Amino acid sequence: MQVTKLGEGRAEVAVVGGIHGDEPCGIRAIERLLRDAPEVRRPVKLVVANEAAAERGVRYVEEDLNRAFPGYPDGETHEKRLAYDLAHEIEGCRTLALHSTQSHAEPFAVVDGVDDFARTVCPRLPVASVVETGRFVEGRIFKAVPDTIEVECGLQGSEDAAANGYRLVLSFLTATGVLAGVAPARDTPVFRLVRRIPKGVASEYEVFVENFQRVRAGETYAAVDGENVVADEQFYPVLMSSYGYEDVFGYAADRVGYVG
C-alpha cells in the first residue's frame, strides 16, 4: 500500500485507487494529481491500495479486497491483512474509492446509504446515477470506513475511465473543501439494489438491456447459451454485463428518488 499526503496536519479526506489491481483508473488519477501538485486548503491522503495485484495486472492476489473488510492484522490472505491496514490508514476520513466496470461506460456512484455525506457530495460529482447497496455490502469498504463513496469511473482499462477518474477526484476534493472552488449540485437519480440476477453455468452469455434503463415484466433481458431469459417483474439493471461476474449477470434495483 502506497500512501501520500498533500497538505499539513491530520487528514480527514482520502482518495483510494487500486482496490482492484486490474482497474488502473484510480491509480492513474492519483498519479496525475500528484504530478499536478495542486494547492490544497486542507490535507488529503492519496492511497494506492493493492500494489501487489496492480503490479501483476490482476484483480486480487488471494481474495477480492473489496469483499475482505474490515480485515484482520494476522489474516490468512494478503487482502485480509491489507483490508485491515487500509481501514486503519483512512479511519475517520471522508473517502472516495475509485473503480471501473465491464458493464457501463458512464460514471456512477455507489454508497452504503444516502446519508448526509452522500446527499451533500454525490450531486456535486460528475456521475449520472447513485446506487445504494442496500443489504449487498459483503465485506466492502463501507463495513470499515462508513463515510465512503465508491465511484465506477467507466469501462475497465479504458482511457475514458482514467480521464473520468481524474475529474471525479477533482470534483470530490472541491466538494470536501480540499481544493478551492465551488462544485455545483444537480439532481441525480438514486437506485437501490434489491436482488442479484443469477446466471446458470454456460459457455455463452448475452445481455440485451442497458444499465439504469427500466426492464418491464415479460421483457427478454439476457440469454444463456442462446436461451432467452425473461423478466418476471419490472426492475432496473445495475452492474449488468455478460461476463463481469462469474455467477450473476448483475443486480436488479428499484429507482427510489433523487439527491440534489
Side-chain angles (χ1 to χ4, degrees):
M1 182 172 62
Q2 179 187 105
V3 182
T4 307
K5 192 177 76 169
L6 298 180
E8 299 297 325
R10 179 177 178 272
E12 297 179 336
V13 178
V15 175
V16 179
I19 284 179
H20 293 136
D22 59 354
E23 298 175 4
C25 58
I27 299 173
R28 291 179 62 183
I30 288 171
E31 290 172 344
R32 182 174 174 184
L33 188 73
L34 290 172
R35 287 196 304 271
D36 291 350
E39 183 176 348
V40 296
R41 303 173 68 182
R42 58 187 298 204
V44 56
K45 285 185 178 180
L46 307 173
V47 182
V48 174
N50 202 339
E51 290 185 283
E55 288 170 1
R56 303 179 196 184
V58 297
R59 186 173 179 84
Y60 53 82
V61 176
E62 294 180 282
E63 69 170 307
D64 190 331
L65 177 57
N66 211 26
R67 300 294 183 271
F69 289 97
Y72 303 97
D74 55 352
E76 67 275 16
T77 66
H78 166 71
E79 278 78 14
K80 277 283 195 306
R81 298 186 294 272
L82 180 58
Y84 179 86
D85 291 342
L86 175 57
H88 282 73
E89 182 65 46
I90 60 175
E91 183 178 5
C93 288
R94 293 189 158 187
T95 299
L96 183 74
L98 298 118
H99 295 270
S100 54
T101 175
Q102 296 184 33
S103 64
H104 198 64
E106 196 169 18
F108 61 94
V110 181
V111 297
D112 185 27
V114 179
D115 56 12
D116 288 343
F117 173 52
R119 194 173 291 110
T120 299
V121 173
C122 287
R124 291 170 169 81
L125 301 178
V127 296
S129 307
V130 177
V131 175
E132 280 190 326
T133 58
R135 65 182 184 276
F136 300 102
V137 179
E138 303 166 342
R140 295 173 77 134
I141 192 171
F142 307 121
K143 297 289 285 185
V145 189
D147 282 342
T148 296
I149 297 171
E150 294 186 322
V151 286
E152 298 286 354
C153 301
L155 294 177
Q156 188 174 338
S158 69
E159 290 297 321
D160 283 347
N164 291 339
Y166 186 65
R167 285 193 292 271
L168 284 156
V169 169
L170 294 181
S171 296
F172 176 76
L173 295 182
T174 302
T176 52
V178 174
L179 298 180
V182 176
R186 61 193 179 101
D187 288 343
T188 308
V190 179
F191 298 82
R192 181 179 296 130
L193 303 184
V194 294
R195 60 182 173 87
R196 296 181 179 89
I197 303 175
K199 61 182 183 184
V201 177
S203 58
E204 184 177 7
Y205 302 98
E206 295 177 272
V207 169
F208 304 130
V209 295
E210 295 292 328
N211 283 286
F212 303 105
Q213 300 300 311
R214 181 171 58 178
V215 175
R216 300 181 185 276
E219 183 177 347
T220 298
Y221 64 86
V224 178
D225 279 344
E227 184 175 343
N228 288 341
V229 184
V230 177
D232 294 328
E233 58 185 355
Q234 172 183 295
F235 70 93
Y236 288 87
V238 174
L239 289 167
M240 187 121 164
S241 65
S242 299
Y243 298 100
Y245 297 101
E246 290 184 7
D247 56 350
V248 297
F249 282 112
Y251 294 87
D254 291 335
R255 185 165 175 166
V256 296
Y258 289 86
V259 291

